[in-house]
């Protein structure tokens, strides 16, 4: 027995030793890809030496002889910290994820190949001005130089993720940077999803659309024809979607998950210190690392500092010495779906106003890891590429013997957006910035501007010009063969919304409606916000003058205007009614919850129970209101729609009929549904968090989920690479933390938020502050992988100055790039 025990101990020790050795080897090879920020590299592609000065937070401050050298160094710095992220973004837009990930990403690749965005990026290289082309070329040389350094120095392939895959890293090209800008358009556009859903709701009942999907937050009326009347062969009723969700690593946002943001600015006469102020916090899906990366560039026009996206040689949101700018998604309706009728005798042709016409076709091969390559036949009509019914639930709105095509500004083959962005970050005044904005095509953005003298807001991006006789005004799929449904070009830039030095001295945008113009000059029927704008307008209007601190306070504000507006309305007949119920009964729990909500001010604090009770109540209420009318479509409305709830409880145009459950004999009132919904919500919460309402915390449910898209799915590793943090805020607060939605166990998780924040003060520019949601490095073993995340969570910032002396004084590492030989033609 002793002998068995002894050998058992030896075996256990041997296993532990093997695990330790194996772990040590894994750590050794993974750590090889950690860059040395104090190294000197001899490189090709520079005209003179360059310094990359790293701050304590790993922010690179880049100093070079000329602008191409600076962009070269930015490309190298991006690759040092985010090479895997860059290659993943590139593979996504190229439709080549399946070469690495196998069949799981095939659906994503198929859709990206059909859209052809990378081909449009290739065509757009020649459309850039000379300065931008040189910048793109220099940036690509910098990325490729780091790939060479990694290969020559055996530096762990550049990132730990590369050890999991056999594919070689292709060299970077100028088209790759343009393609990533187009990928941003994918993440910031969701008009086509709304078109499909509006058509599906119309098929369920034309009158339902005006309530559940109102066109205009200020005038909730949907004056559009019934979808079935446009296509008589389309089956009536709710069509069940047989399509699966978009593939793994899909960049296409779910409904309500397209880009969102806040930006506002105050002119000098509205500033306590006498200098313009600007705040910006773009909202995108949370990931680890963040999509954002802080950097400072010393260009010939002066220093530029702020937020970049690895893969592009741009400061997308930030400031230079004289100008600050911020971005918010403009929600321009830049997508249209078209029903293309097939020739009954020849399905290779589709109907046009001039008769049947052959599709333009091309066959491509998608290579799939560990599987047979897949051949796709791509088809295009005059309106755009054909999309199969297996995407976006298109099959549910496609009549028999038809297919669907898509028009989108992202298909523009001469896209000058990169040129416009380059001009913007070198502009020295608002007029120069407005001129730069003319070059932007897609994604359409509201650019908020502040210089030494004033403020402005302009919508940058192409706005399609539609025919006034368009069948659906771009709100639902239309008949692709009708000339009146084709785009007539774009609105001239002078017709884009512009607000320059407004009388009140303040410009604001929260993705809210910016103009009230009739179709076809209305910009959009779908806007990204009806709630945050109420809170921001109040905060900006209640002070005569503002300061950097008041802007920070507004940026971090967690009061929900939706909660403040809906709770008195929904609970109007429930507050303080009835005798006190016995302890431990559902009635008493409801009374206690109502007492707590009655004294709550709507602050979505992570430490309070009221936000959780409110969120669960509203979710249950909306689901009960719509599920009998919309059936399976109810799942598509997986986030609270405040305008809809308000219409129902105010009985706008008879909308209170939603409260009556069609399938039940009694006639339920809105008070009945409100009470039943609250009881059901409390019962559900008590199962998870216990019966003591006072002990519940919104932050326990509203955890920020910043997941590594690849390593975060590996068992064991996910506990080290995924970042989880309790957060305040909610779907409708200025410090927005968009919830996942739906009815799953993590439905209140924070998955879409401000991954980047900036507050600029031109009275004291060096006091301007910035933050991103994770850290600068994409390497999980780096101390800079998540070192900024706790600051971000707690509402703190870091200062970033354009003073070279300050950057060098606080340097924790300086990378020296020394040219081996001048670049020909420079």
């Amino acid at each position: 027995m002793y002998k068995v025990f002894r050998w058992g101990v030896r075996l256990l020790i041997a296993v532990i030793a093997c695990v330790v050795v194996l772990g040590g080897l894994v750590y050794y090879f993974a750590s090889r890809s950690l860059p040395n920020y104090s190294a000197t590299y001899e490189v090709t592609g520079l005209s003179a030496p360059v310094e990359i000065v790293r701050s304590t937070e790993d922010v690179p401050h880049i100093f070079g002889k000329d602008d191409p050298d600076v962009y070269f160094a930015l490309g190298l710095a991006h690759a040092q910290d985010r090479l895997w992220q860059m290659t993943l973004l590139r593979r996504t837009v190229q439709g080549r994820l399946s070469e690495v990930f196998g069949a799981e990403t095939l659906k994503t690749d198929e859709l990206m190949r059909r859209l052809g965005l990378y081909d449009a990026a290739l065509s757009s290289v020649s459309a850039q001005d000379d300065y931008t082309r040189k910048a793109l070329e220099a940036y690509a040389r910098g990325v490729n130089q780091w790939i060479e350094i990694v290969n020559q120095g055996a530096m762990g392939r550049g990132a730990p993720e590369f050890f999991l895959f056999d594919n070689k890293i292709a060299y970077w090209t100028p088209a790759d940077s343009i393609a990533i800008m187009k990928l941003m358009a994918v993440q910031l556009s969701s008009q086509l999803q709304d078109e499909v859903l509006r058509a599906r709701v119309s098929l369920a009942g034309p009158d339902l659309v005006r309530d559940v999907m109102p066109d205009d937050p200020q005038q909730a009326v949907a004056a559009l024809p019934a979808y079935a009347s446009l296509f008589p062969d389309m089956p009536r009723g709710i069509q069940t979607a047989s399509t699966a969700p978009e593939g793994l690593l899909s960049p296409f946002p779910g409904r309500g998950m397209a880009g969102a943001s806040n930006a506002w600015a105050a002119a000098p006469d509205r500033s306590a210190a006498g200098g313009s102020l600007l705040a910006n916090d773009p909202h995108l899906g949370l990931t680890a690392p963040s999509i954002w990366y802080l950097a400072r560039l010393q260009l010939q026009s002066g220093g530029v500092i702020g937020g970049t996206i690895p893969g592009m040689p741009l400061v997308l949101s930030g400031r230079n010495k004289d100008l600050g700018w911020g971005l918010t998604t403009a929600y321009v309706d830049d997508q249209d779906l078209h029903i293309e009728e097939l020739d009954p005798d020849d399905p290779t042709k589709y109907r046009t106003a001039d008769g049947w016409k052959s599709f333009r076709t091309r066959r491509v091969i998608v290579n799939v890891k560990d599987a047979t390559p897949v051949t796709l036949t791509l088809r295009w009509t005059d309106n755009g590429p054909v999309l199969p019914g297996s995407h976006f639930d298109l099959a549910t709105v496609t009549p028999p013997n038809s297919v669907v095509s898509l028009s989108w500004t992202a298909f523009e083959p001469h896209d000058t957006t990169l040129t416009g962005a380059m001009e913007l970050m070198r502009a020295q005044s608002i007029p120069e910035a407005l001129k730069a904005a003319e070059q932007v095509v897609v994604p359409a953005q509201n650019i908020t501007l502040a210089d030494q003298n004033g403020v402005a807001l302009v919508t940058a991006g192409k706005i399609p010009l539609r025919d006034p006789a368009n069948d659906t005004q771009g709100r639902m799929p239309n008949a692709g063969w009708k000339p009146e449904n084709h785009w007539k070009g774009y609105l001239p830039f002078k017709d884009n919304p512009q607000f320059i030095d407004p009388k009140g001295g303040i410009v604001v945008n929260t993705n809210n409606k910016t103009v009230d113009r009739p179709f076809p000059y209305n910009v959009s029927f779908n806007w990204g916000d009806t709630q945050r704008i109420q809170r921001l307008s109040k905060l900006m209007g209640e002070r005569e003058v503002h300061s950097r601190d008041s802007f920070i306070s507004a940026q971090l504000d967690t009061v929900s205007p939706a909660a403040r507006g809906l709770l008195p309305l929904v609970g109007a007949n429930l507050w303080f009614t009835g005798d006190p119920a016995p302890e431990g009964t559902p009635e008493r729990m409801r009374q206690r919850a109502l007492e707590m909500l009655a004294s709550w001010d709507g602050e979505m604090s992570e430490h309070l129970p009221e936000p959780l009770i409110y969120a669960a109540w509203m979710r249950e209420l909306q689901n009960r209101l719509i599920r009998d009318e919309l059936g399976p479509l109810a799942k598509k409305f997986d986030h609270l729609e405040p305008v809809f709830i308000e219409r129902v409880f105010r009985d706008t145009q008879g909308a209170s009929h939603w409260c009556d459950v069609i399938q039940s004999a009694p006639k339920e009132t809105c008070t009945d549904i409100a009470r039943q919904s609250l009881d059901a919500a409390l019962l559900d919460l008590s199962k998870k968090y216990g019966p003591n309402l006072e002990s519940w915390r919104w932050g326990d449910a509203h955890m920020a989920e910043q997941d590594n898209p690849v390593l975060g799915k590996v068992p064991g590793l996910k506990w080290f690479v995924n970042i989880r943090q309790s957060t305040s805020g909610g779907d409708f607060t200025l410090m927005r933390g968009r919830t996942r939605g739906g009815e799953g166990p993590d439905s209140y998780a924070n998955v879409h938020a401000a991954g980047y924040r900036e507050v600029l003060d031109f009275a004291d520019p060096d006091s301007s502050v910035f933050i991103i949601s994770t850290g600068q490095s994409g390497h999980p073993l780096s101390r800079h992988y998540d070192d900024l995340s706790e600051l971000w969570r707690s509402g703190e910032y870091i200062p970033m100055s354009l003073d070279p002396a300050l950057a060098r004084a606080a340097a924790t590492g300086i990378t020296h790039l020394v040219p081996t030989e001048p670049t020909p033609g420079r």
Side-chain angles (χ1 to χ4, degrees):
M1 187 67 184
Y2 173 73
K3 187 174 182 180
V4 172
F5 175 77
R6 183 175 60 184
W7 277 103
V9 171
R10 290 175 178 174
L11 181 60
L12 179 61
I13 292 173
V15 170
I16 293 174
C18 288
V19 171
V20 170
V21 171
L22 181 61
L25 288 173
V26 170
Y27 179 85
Y28 170 76
F29 285 111
S31 64
R32 291 282 295 168
S33 53
L34 285 169
N36 178 4
Y37 297 130
S38 296
T40 298
Y41 299 107
E42 289 191 359
V43 299
T44 58
L46 288 179
S47 64
V50 175
E51 286 184 330
I52 305 176
V53 179
R54 297 277 182 166
S55 71
T56 305
E57 299 85 9
D58 192 27
V59 177
H61 294 246
I62 301 174
F63 302 94
K65 175 186 174 183
D66 58 21
D67 289 1
D69 284 354
V70 171
Y71 294 125
F72 177 102
L74 179 63
L76 189 141
H78 275 166
Q80 278 184 309
D81 289 321
R82 303 285 189 88
L83 184 59
W84 169 257
Q85 184 183 53
M86 293 167 63
T87 58
L88 191 64
L89 291 174
R90 178 174 62 180
R91 279 191 175 277
T92 301
V93 71
Q94 289 176 330
R96 295 179 55 224
L97 291 169
S98 299
E99 295 175 8
V100 172
F101 299 102
E104 286 186 303
T105 56
L106 182 57
K107 190 174 181 182
T108 299
D109 281 349
E110 177 208 345
L111 183 54
M112 295 307 298
R113 295 293 184 98
R114 293 188 187 281
L115 294 176
L117 294 179
Y118 193 79
D119 292 336
L122 286 168
S123 300
S124 297
V125 173
S126 60
Q128 312 308 314
D129 67 7
D130 186 61
Y131 180 93
T132 303
R133 281 197 302 273
K134 289 181 177 179
L136 291 170
E137 291 165 0
Y139 180 85
R141 289 197 303 271
V143 175
N144 297 333
Q145 183 63 68
W146 181 250
I147 296 174
E148 291 285 352
I149 291 171
V150 167
N151 290 337
Q152 294 170 6
M155 297 174 62
R157 302 195 68 190
E161 290 92 339
F162 288 114
F163 282 110
L164 302 177
F165 310 104
D166 296 330
N167 298 73
K168 294 182 179 179
I169 307 172
Y171 283 121
W172 203 261
T173 70
D176 296 340
S177 296
I178 298 174
I180 288 179
M181 181 65 83
K182 289 189 176 291
L183 187 62
M184 292 300 103
V186 171
Q187 297 181 354
L188 299 173
S189 301
S190 62
Q191 297 283 356
L192 72 88
Q193 289 99 317
D194 278 324
E195 283 193 35
V196 173
L197 185 56
R198 189 176 285 108
R200 296 183 71 188
V201 173
S202 177
L203 289 170
D207 292 339
L208 302 179
V209 179
R210 71 180 183 186
D211 291 330
V212 78
M213 296 186 72
D215 290 334
D216 186 316
Q218 306 305 319
Q219 185 181 1
V221 176
L224 69 164
Y227 189 65
S229 70
L230 299 175
F231 304 102
D233 293 339
M234 188 69 212
R236 306 308 198 262
I238 298 172
Q239 304 302 308
T240 303
S242 59
T243 59
E246 296 304 315
L248 182 69
L249 298 177
S250 171
F252 293 89
R255 184 170 183 268
M257 292 293 185
S261 311
N262 301 313
W264 63 98
D269 60 357
R270 294 294 303 273
S271 167
S276 295
L277 297 161
L278 186 147
N280 183 214
D281 50 293
H283 304 164
L284 290 168
L286 294 177
T287 61
S290 167
I291 190 68
W292 293 96
Y293 181 93
L294 302 173
R296 177 269 181 82
L297 313 177
Q298 188 62 40
L299 303 175
Q300 296 300 299
S301 58
V304 185
I305 198 164
T308 72
I309 291 179
M312 295 186 287
L314 293 169
V315 173
L316 285 162
S317 177
R319 76 171 184 92
N320 55 39
K321 181 174 66 70
D322 299 306
L323 178 75
W325 62 97
L327 306 176
T328 53
T329 300
Y331 275 80
V332 165
D333 187 3
D334 54 9
Q335 296 176 323
D336 268 359
L337 291 171
H338 309 276
I339 302 298
E340 308 285 3
E341 184 180 341
L342 301 177
D343 184 347
D345 300 320
D346 185 358
T348 65
K349 296 181 179 180
Y350 65 98
R351 183 180 176 185
T352 72
D354 301 318
W356 303 106
K357 185 174 183 178
S358 296
F359 291 101
R360 290 186 291 117
T361 62
R362 179 162 63 94
R363 293 168 69 85
V364 297
I365 296 175
V366 180
N367 292 314
V368 184
K369 181 183 178 182
D370 301 327
T372 304
V374 175
T375 300
L376 300 175
T377 299
L378 311 183
R379 294 187 291 176
W380 290 270
T381 70
D382 291 340
N383 292 313
V386 172
L387 304 181
S390 56
H391 292 281
F392 307 117
D393 297 332
L394 289 173
T396 64
V397 296
T398 306
N401 197 45
S402 301
V403 294
V404 179
S405 67
L406 173 66
S407 297
W408 187 12
T409 53
F411 301 144
E412 174 60 51
H414 304 291
D415 186 345
T416 55
T417 300
L418 263 290
T419 292
M422 283 284 184
E423 291 181 2
L424 173 62
M425 73 175 184
R426 292 179 291 128
Q428 305 298 310
S429 65
I430 287 176
E432 289 182 22
L434 294 174
K435 188 172 184 295
E438 293 187 47
Q439 301 290 333
V440 176
V441 176
V442 67
Q445 296 285 289
N446 289 321
I447 304 177
T448 300
L449 300 163
D451 62 13
Q452 303 288 354
N453 302 310
V455 297
L457 186 148
V458 60
T459 298
K462 297 294 187 183
I463 302 177
L465 178 59
R466 296 176 174 86
D467 193 303
N470 186 291
D471 280 348
T472 67
Q473 300 181 336
R475 293 174 289 175
M476 296 190 300
N478 58 40
W481 58 88
K482 293 184 177 180
E484 61 266 30
N485 292 333
H486 299 173
W487 288 358
K488 310 303 179 184
Y490 302 113
L491 290 177
F493 180 75
K494 66 179 178 61
D495 289 340
N496 282 22
Q498 297 185 33
F499 308 90
I500 303 170
D501 291 328
K503 185 177 180 180
I506 291 181
V507 291
V508 297
N509 186 253
T510 61
N511 316 115
N512 58 289
K513 182 178 180 179
T514 54
V515 290
D516 190 11
R517 302 191 304 211
F519 179 84
Y521 305 102
N522 60 322
V523 178
S524 178
F525 285 104
N526 302 319
W527 301 93
D529 175 57
T530 63
Q531 304 297 309
R532 284 176 285 129
I533 188 61
Q534 300 176 34
R535 181 64 178 169
L536 184 56
S537 297
K538 179 181 183 298
L539 293 177
M540 292 298 102
E542 65 186 11
R543 297 172 60 116
E544 184 64 30
V545 294
H546 285 272
S547 65
R548 188 198 70 164
D549 290 342
S550 74
F551 268 41
I552 289 175
S553 178
Q555 194 169 70
L556 303 178
D557 187 82
T558 59
V559 171
S560 171
R564 285 186 168 186
L566 292 180
L567 282 175
L569 191 62
V570 173
N573 296 323
L574 299 178
W575 308 113
F576 311 110
T577 58
D579 297 327
E583 290 293 337
T585 62
E587 292 79 7
R588 182 57 193 153
M589 181 177 283
R590 182 205 313 144
Q591 291 173 348
R592 181 65 189 126
L594 288 168
E595 291 169 5
M596 295 167 64
L597 291 174
S599 58
W600 178 51
D601 67 352
E603 183 182 359
M604 302 290 286
S605 168
E606 63 181 298
H607 304 296
L608 296 177
E610 288 87 352
L612 182 57
I613 298 171
Y614 153 74
W617 185 9
M618 293 301 109
R619 184 182 72 174
E620 183 66 29
L621 173 65
Q622 179 167 291
N623 187 43
R624 284 173 179 258
L625 288 174
I626 67 177
R627 66 188 178 192
D628 60 332
E629 274 92 349
L630 298 184
L633 273 183
K635 293 183 178 180
K636 292 294 183 179
F637 296 89
D638 57 358
H639 285 83
L640 178 64
E641 306 281 348
V643 176
F644 166 65
I645 300 295
E646 184 173 342
R647 282 179 62 82
V648 170
F649 278 80
R650 292 190 186 280
D651 194 23
T652 305
Q653 294 181 301
S656 63
H657 74 84
W658 290 84
C659 292
D660 182 33
V661 179
I662 297 173
Q663 300 181 30
S664 70
K667 183 177 178 61
E668 291 84 2
T669 67
C670 289
T671 299
D672 294 333
I673 294 298
R675 183 179 59 253
Q676 294 167 9
S677 300
L678 179 55
D679 288 346
L682 293 173
L683 178 61
D684 184 60
L685 291 175
S686 63
K687 290 178 181 178
K688 185 171 184 179
Y689 300 105
N692 185 5
L693 278 65
E694 288 79 0
S695 68
W696 297 350
R697 289 180 69 256
W698 173 235
D700 291 340
H702 195 239
M703 300 287 289
E705 296 187 356
Q706 304 193 75
D707 290 358
N708 187 296
V710 176
L711 298 181
K713 294 179 171 59
V714 178
L717 278 181
K718 64 181 182 180
W719 303 109
F720 298 97
V721 300
N722 294 340
I723 304 171
R724 293 287 190 275
Q725 296 167 311
S726 169
T727 54
S728 298
D731 290 339
F732 304 106
T733 56
L734 288 174
M735 193 174 83
R736 183 176 180 267
R738 185 71 161 167
T739 55
R740 176 175 282 113
E743 298 182 358
D746 299 322
S747 58
Y748 303 116
N750 179 359
V751 297
H752 194 279
Y756 168 78
R757 298 181 185 127
E758 70 176 18
V759 178
L760 311 178
D761 183 355
F762 280 93
D764 181 11
D766 285 341
S767 71
S768 300
V769 291
F770 308 79
I771 197 68
I772 62 173
S773 60
T774 58
Q776 290 283 90
S777 176
H779 199 304
L781 297 181
S782 170
R783 67 186 180 92
H784 298 299
Y785 182 71
D786 60 357
D787 59 332
L788 298 179
S789 63
E790 185 55 35
L791 296 176
W792 173 82
R793 189 203 76 81
S794 59
E796 298 180 59
Y797 302 76
I798 62 172
M800 296 200 304
S801 170
L802 287 177
D803 186 341
L806 285 177
R808 289 190 169 91
T812 58
I814 300 180
T815 303
H816 296 273
L817 304 180
V818 181
T820 55
E821 58 185 29
T823 300
R826 286 287 306 280

